Amino acid sequence: MLALQIIFWLSLLSLAHTYIFYPLFLKIAAIFTATPSVIAGESQPAVSILIAAYNEEKVIKEKLESIFNSDYPADKIEVLVGSDASTDQTNKIIKTFPQVQLINFEGRSGKVKIINHLKSLAKHDVLILTDANVLFDKNTLTELLKHFSNPEIGLVDSHMQHIKQKSMGVSKAENTYIRGEVGIKYNEGKVFGKMMGPFGGCYAVRKSLYENVPENFLVDDFYINMKVLKKGSKAISEIKALVFEEVPSDWKIEFKRKVRIATGSFQNLKAFSH
């Protein structure tokens, strides 16, 4: 009986640590910690933006427009889109943007293989990995890239905002969860310089720190983040770097996504068990 009571209270304490004590500790510690400084000098580095796309005709035009309508110097932006054997109008739409380099994959390859290949083609020292359905704010690029004037910073996460949120379904609950995660990651980056796991829809990373992700991995953003930390660089979150994504309200779609993330997490646990 005593053993069961001990197991119960330890389990309850673990949950309280995860959802109450740790976030509270971070929030308090962040108050007394200086934000990683942006070093004076070149705060607008040239950037290569990498996008893997499969049948994205509904969103790709708006996505590319959100990039080129930003306040960032156009001559410092390189955009590479890898089309994963798209069968709709995706390729045709991309070709209407002469400043975009389209790399068409003849057979289905998957996001990881495409991004690994696009990275090898990228000309610039800073990469932004982003999804086709994630839209940029006017100052997203500026807020993400300003941190790379500091040589200690290896990865910078964006701040995702949900759009078209519905009152029905799981979108409201998911949005609440994401808001909590954003706060934790921002404070982890500020206090430790070790924000873990960026929002995969948009984040920036130094090309020199990017290691090719195993092609069977399902959660590539966490893998890349951990490799950055392992090499001694800092990973932080920039809450002013806003990006926008529609969150699904269908619980079945969200359930499949959570299964993929959970499976990918076990892959990463094995890869970084040491």
Side-chain angles (χ1 to χ4, degrees):
M1 190 67 180
L2 179 61
L4 289 177
Q5 288 180 336
I6 292 173
I7 292 171
F8 171 79
W9 287 110
L10 285 176
S11 300
L12 189 63
L13 186 62
S14 297
L15 286 171
H17 166 76
T18 300
Y19 293 105
I20 300 174
F21 301 144
Y22 181 63
L24 185 60
F25 159 75
L26 283 175
K27 195 169 185 178
I28 295 171
I31 296 174
F32 301 99
T33 307
T35 302
S37 60
V38 176
I39 297 174
E42 179 55 70
S43 59
Q44 290 188 319
V47 61
S48 296
I49 301 177
L50 314 183
I51 305 171
Y54 171 67
N55 287 356
E56 302 286 1
E57 64 180 8
K58 294 181 180 179
V59 296
I60 194 65
K61 183 174 185 291
E62 191 176 5
K63 168 64 177 212
L64 295 175
E65 287 176 344
S66 76
I67 293 173
F68 294 113
N69 289 338
S70 73
D71 58 11
Y72 209 75
D75 62 338
K76 292 189 174 185
I77 300 174
E78 175 190 43
V79 180
L80 296 92
V81 181
S83 178
D84 196 8
S86 295
T87 56
D88 62 358
Q89 297 298 308
T90 297
N91 293 1
K92 185 176 180 180
I93 295 169
I94 294 170
K95 289 176 181 177
T96 64
F97 291 84
Q99 63 273 62
V100 176
Q101 184 178 349
L102 171 64
I103 297 89
N104 189 30
F105 289 71
E106 296 298 329
R108 292 300 307 278
S109 301
K111 176 184 176 182
V112 170
K113 185 175 181 178
I114 288 175
I115 295 298
N116 284 342
H117 181 66
L118 295 183
K119 174 255 183 179
S120 70
L121 302 177
K123 295 188 299 185
H124 301 307
D125 295 331
V126 180
L127 310 174
I128 288 181
L129 280 56
T130 182
D131 292 343
N133 66 323
V134 174
L135 305 180
F136 288 7
D137 196 19
K138 203 166 185 64
N139 68 342
T140 302
L141 294 176
T142 297
E143 293 296 336
L144 275 178
L145 298 171
K146 68 183 183 183
H147 293 285
F148 289 93
S149 65
N150 185 338
E152 293 184 344
I153 303 298
L155 184 147
V156 183
D157 190 16
S158 65
H159 181 187
M160 193 266 285
Q161 300 277 287
H162 283 144
I163 55 176
K164 300 181 182 178
Q165 182 180 315
K166 299 177 182 178
S167 58
M168 302 295 289
V170 299
S171 61
K172 190 173 182 180
E174 177 67 8
N175 190 52
T176 302
Y177 168 74
I178 290 295
R179 284 205 310 271
E181 283 290 289
V182 166
I184 289 173
K185 290 194 292 185
Y186 173 73
N187 289 331
E188 280 181 331
K190 188 176 180 182
V191 175
F192 306 120
K194 289 178 168 57
M195 181 276 303
M196 294 177 65
F199 165 55
C202 179
Y203 61 98
V205 62
R206 292 189 191 275
K207 184 180 179 182
S208 60
L209 298 175
Y210 179 106
E211 283 195 22
N212 281 0
V213 182
E215 292 180 8
N216 66 322
F217 266 47
L218 299 173
V219 183
D220 52 300
D221 48 0
F222 187 87
Y223 181 90
I224 292 167
N225 194 135
M226 289 296 290
K227 286 292 186 179
V228 168
L229 296 177
K230 188 175 179 180
K231 292 179 179 181
S233 287
K234 292 183 177 180
I236 65 171
S237 176
E238 175 51 71
I239 58 175
K240 294 180 182 177
L242 300 178
V243 294
F244 306 93
E245 180 185 43
E246 183 177 352
V247 62
S249 58
D250 187 339
W251 70 266
K252 294 179 182 178
I253 295 175
E254 190 59 23
F255 181 77
K256 288 180 180 179
R257 191 175 77 89
K258 296 295 188 188
V259 169
R260 179 180 61 81
I261 292 172
T263 305
S265 296
F266 280 109
Q267 290 177 314
N268 278 295
L269 180 61
K270 181 179 180 180
F272 297 103
S273 60
H274 56 287

